[in-house]
Amino acid sequence: MTVKQAVIKKKSVVKLALSGLSLSVLLTLSACSGGDNTPTDEPAVVNETEAVVVEPAAPAEAEPVVEVETVEVSEVKAEEVSAVVAEPEVLAADAGATLYEKKCKVCHEKGLLAAPVFGNKEAWAPRIAKGIDTLHMHSAKGFNKMPAQASAEVSEAQVHAAVDYMVAAAS
């Protein structure tokens, strides 16, 4: 799961929790209003011979105040990102070359499936112009004819290292 997906999932959980809390507050407040307040059609019976003393009504009990903590989005992002992002994966210095030799070389050595040939500056130039972040994303998640390279056996960091290795060879 990427950091972005984790942040989105965490936001959804926070929104759901706040919605549930709001609903429970509303139900509690409606239950506290108590009793049947519908008027009756029968007139009040008043004995005209006795004096009627009207006492002021006792103050109504204050409804319980429920405070809901609000969290700003910027605060949530900072907390979630720090909670989700673990230590960055530490790779060996030759991790990119190793993965290239194991997996990438199959297509990038001969240009299969329109893959840019390893070390060919002309073939790599338009891809490098898109930026390293785009190359990392396309290689990890797949793009056009290239299938996603990140998997259970190969981490995104390893794929990024292999891309960096191939870009360095074409630069």
Side-chain angles (χ1 to χ4, degrees), residues 16-168:
L16 183 62
L18 288 176
S19 297
L21 181 62
S22 298
L23 181 61
S24 64
V25 167
L26 288 174
L27 290 173
T28 302
L29 292 177
S30 66
C32 290
S33 65
D36 182 21
N37 293 330
T38 56
T40 60
D41 290 335
E42 297 178 23
V45 178
V46 177
N47 185 347
E48 294 177 8
T49 58
E50 295 179 18
V52 177
V53 178
V54 178
E55 294 181 20
E61 283 187 36
E63 293 183 9
V65 176
V66 178
E67 292 184 21
V68 178
E69 179 183 351
T70 58
V71 180
E72 294 201 21
V73 174
S74 60
E75 293 174 11
V76 172
K77 285 182 182 177
E79 292 170 2
E80 291 171 349
V81 169
S82 63
V84 172
V85 177
E87 293 287 324
E89 183 176 350
V90 179
L91 300 175
D94 66 340
T98 302
L99 184 60
Y100 171 80
E101 290 296 325
K102 283 170 99 177
K103 293 189 90 181
C104 309
K105 187 176 181 178
V106 173
C107 294
H108 287 280
E109 184 175 52
K110 298 186 184 200
L112 298 177
L113 299 174
V117 175
F118 182 80
N120 183 331
K121 292 181 182 191
E122 287 181 22
W124 279 93
R127 291 164 174 86
I128 293 172
K130 291 181 180 180
I132 196 68
D133 290 336
T134 301
L135 289 172
H136 285 166
M137 182 179 63
H138 288 172
S139 61
K141 299 186 185 309
F143 184 73
N144 290 338
K145 294 178 185 176
M146 180 177 173
Q149 299 303 307
S151 64
E153 297 84 33
V154 180
S155 70
E156 281 191 26
Q158 290 171 314
V159 173
H160 295 176
V163 169
D164 294 344
Y165 172 72
M166 289 187 279
V167 167

